[in-house]
mmCIF file of all heavy atoms in Angstrom:
data_model
loop_
_atom_site.group_PDB
_atom_site.id
_atom_site.type_symbol
_atom_site.label_atom_id
_atom_site.label_comp_id
_atom_site.label_asym_id
_atom_site.label_seq_id
_atom_site.Cartn_x
_atom_site.Cartn_y
_atom_site.Cartn_z
ATOM 1 N N HIS F 344 1.479 11.072 -4.784
ATOM 2 C CA HIS F 344 2.588 11.528 -3.947
ATOM 3 C C HIS F 344 2.131 11.768 -2.516
ATOM 4 O O HIS F 344 0.936 11.901 -2.230
ATOM 5 C CB HIS F 344 3.255 12.788 -4.527
ATOM 6 C CG HIS F 344 2.447 14.029 -4.449
ATOM 7 N ND1 HIS F 344 1.503 14.390 -5.393
ATOM 8 C CD2 HIS F 344 2.460 15.046 -3.545
ATOM 9 C CE1 HIS F 344 0.984 15.558 -5.093
ATOM 10 N NE2 HIS F 344 1.533 15.973 -3.959
ATOM 11 N N LEU F 345 3.111 11.807 -1.628
ATOM 12 C CA LEU F 345 2.896 12.029 -0.206
ATOM 13 C C LEU F 345 3.663 13.268 0.234
ATOM 14 O O LEU F 345 4.857 13.405 -0.059
ATOM 15 C CB LEU F 345 3.383 10.825 0.603
ATOM 16 C CG LEU F 345 3.355 10.973 2.132
ATOM 17 C CD1 LEU F 345 1.918 11.034 2.641
ATOM 18 C CD2 LEU F 345 4.113 9.818 2.809
ATOM 19 N N ASP F 346 2.964 14.156 0.923
ATOM 20 C CA ASP F 346 3.586 15.332 1.541
ATOM 21 C C ASP F 346 3.598 15.149 3.053
ATOM 22 O O ASP F 346 2.621 14.664 3.635
ATOM 23 C CB ASP F 346 2.809 16.609 1.208
ATOM 24 C CG ASP F 346 2.939 17.018 -0.251
ATOM 25 O OD1 ASP F 346 3.633 16.332 -1.018
ATOM 26 O OD2 ASP F 346 2.311 18.030 -0.630
ATOM 27 N N ILE F 347 4.701 15.531 3.680
ATOM 28 C CA ILE F 347 4.775 15.578 5.138
ATOM 29 C C ILE F 347 5.162 16.991 5.539
ATOM 30 O O ILE F 347 6.176 17.525 5.071
ATOM 31 C CB ILE F 347 5.786 14.559 5.701
ATOM 32 C CG1 ILE F 347 5.344 13.130 5.375
ATOM 33 C CG2 ILE F 347 5.911 14.732 7.218
ATOM 34 C CD1 ILE F 347 6.232 12.050 5.962
ATOM 35 N N ASN F 348 4.311 17.614 6.326
ATOM 36 C CA ASN F 348 4.526 18.998 6.776
ATOM 37 C C ASN F 348 4.725 19.939 5.596
ATOM 38 O O ASN F 348 5.543 20.849 5.633
ATOM 39 C CB ASN F 348 5.710 19.065 7.737
ATOM 40 C CG ASN F 348 5.541 18.147 8.941
ATOM 41 O OD1 ASN F 348 4.423 17.947 9.420
ATOM 42 N ND2 ASN F 348 6.633 17.565 9.415
ATOM 43 N N GLY F 349 3.977 19.692 4.513
ATOM 44 C CA GLY F 349 3.985 20.573 3.358
ATOM 45 C C GLY F 349 5.061 20.292 2.335
ATOM 46 O O GLY F 349 5.111 20.959 1.297
ATOM 47 N N ASN F 350 5.916 19.315 2.577
ATOM 48 C CA ASN F 350 6.992 18.981 1.639
ATOM 49 C C ASN F 350 6.770 17.588 1.038
ATOM 50 O O ASN F 350 6.480 16.635 1.761
ATOM 51 C CB ASN F 350 8.351 19.011 2.355
ATOM 52 C CG ASN F 350 8.688 20.373 2.926
ATOM 53 O OD1 ASN F 350 8.603 21.379 2.240
ATOM 54 N ND2 ASN F 350 9.055 20.403 4.202
ATOM 55 N N THR F 351 6.917 17.488 -0.282
ATOM 56 C CA THR F 351 6.763 16.194 -0.942
ATOM 57 C C THR F 351 7.951 15.306 -0.599
ATOM 58 O O THR F 351 9.100 15.658 -0.842
ATOM 59 C CB THR F 351 6.653 16.359 -2.468
ATOM 60 O OG1 THR F 351 5.485 17.146 -2.772
ATOM 61 C CG2 THR F 351 6.533 15.003 -3.153
ATOM 62 N N VAL F 352 7.657 14.144 -0.021
ATOM 63 C CA VAL F 352 8.717 13.231 0.415
ATOM 64 C C VAL F 352 8.754 11.949 -0.411
ATOM 65 O O VAL F 352 9.756 11.234 -0.407
ATOM 66 C CB VAL F 352 8.568 12.876 1.907
ATOM 67 C CG1 VAL F 352 8.747 14.122 2.776
ATOM 68 C CG2 VAL F 352 7.227 12.206 2.186
ATOM 69 N N ASP F 398 4.003 15.074 12.930
ATOM 70 C CA ASP F 398 4.047 15.113 11.468
ATOM 71 C C ASP F 398 2.627 15.149 10.912
ATOM 72 O O ASP F 398 1.730 14.460 11.419
ATOM 73 C CB ASP F 398 4.768 13.883 10.912
ATOM 74 C CG ASP F 398 6.277 14.025 10.925
ATOM 75 O OD1 ASP F 398 6.776 15.136 11.162
ATOM 76 O OD2 ASP F 398 6.963 12.997 10.686
ATOM 77 N N HIS F 399 2.441 15.935 9.844
ATOM 78 C CA HIS F 399 1.149 16.040 9.153
ATOM 79 C C HIS F 399 1.311 15.430 7.769
ATOM 80 O O HIS F 399 2.109 15.914 6.966
ATOM 81 C CB HIS F 399 0.730 17.509 9.045
ATOM 82 C CG HIS F 399 -0.577 17.715 8.369
ATOM 83 N ND1 HIS F 399 -0.888 18.869 7.682
ATOM 84 C CD2 HIS F 399 -1.681 16.918 8.260
ATOM 85 C CE1 HIS F 399 -2.104 18.774 7.172
ATOM 86 N NE2 HIS F 399 -2.605 17.594 7.511
ATOM 87 N N LEU F 400 0.554 14.367 7.494
ATOM 88 C CA LEU F 400 0.685 13.636 6.243
ATOM 89 C C LEU F 400 -0.502 13.931 5.326
ATOM 90 O O LEU F 400 -1.659 13.899 5.769
ATOM 91 C CB LEU F 400 0.757 12.119 6.500
ATOM 92 C CG LEU F 400 2.102 11.548 6.969
ATOM 93 C CD1 LEU F 400 2.453 12.035 8.368
ATOM 94 C CD2 LEU F 400 2.089 10.020 6.926
ATOM 95 N N GLU F 401 -0.194 14.198 4.047
ATOM 96 C CA GLU F 401 -1.220 14.439 3.037
ATOM 97 C C GLU F 401 -0.868 13.638 1.783
ATOM 98 O O GLU F 401 0.255 13.723 1.287
ATOM 99 C CB GLU F 401 -1.309 15.928 2.682
ATOM 100 C CG GLU F 401 -1.691 16.817 3.852
ATOM 101 C CD GLU F 401 -1.515 18.294 3.537
ATOM 102 O OE1 GLU F 401 -0.348 18.712 3.366
ATOM 103 O OE2 GLU F 401 -2.524 19.005 3.443
ATOM 104 N N TYR F 403 -1.894 12.408 -2.245
ATOM 105 C CA TYR F 403 -2.566 12.883 -3.456
ATOM 106 C C TYR F 403 -2.524 11.816 -4.546
ATOM 107 O O TYR F 403 -1.509 11.138 -4.736
ATOM 108 C CB TYR F 403 -1.867 14.125 -4.004
ATOM 109 C CG TYR F 403 -1.936 15.345 -3.110
ATOM 110 C CD1 TYR F 403 -1.092 15.469 -2.009
ATOM 111 C CD2 TYR F 403 -2.832 16.383 -3.378
ATOM 112 C CE1 TYR F 403 -1.143 16.590 -1.193
ATOM 113 C CE2 TYR F 403 -2.882 17.513 -2.563
ATOM 114 C CZ TYR F 403 -2.043 17.604 -1.480
ATOM 115 O OH TYR F 403 -2.084 18.714 -0.674
#
Side-chain angles (χ1 to χ4, degrees):
H344 70 275
L345 174 68
D346 290 0
I347 297 184
N348 303 326
N350 299 310
T351 298
V352 296
D398 278 349
H399 181 208
L400 281 67
E401 298 169 293
Y403 295 79

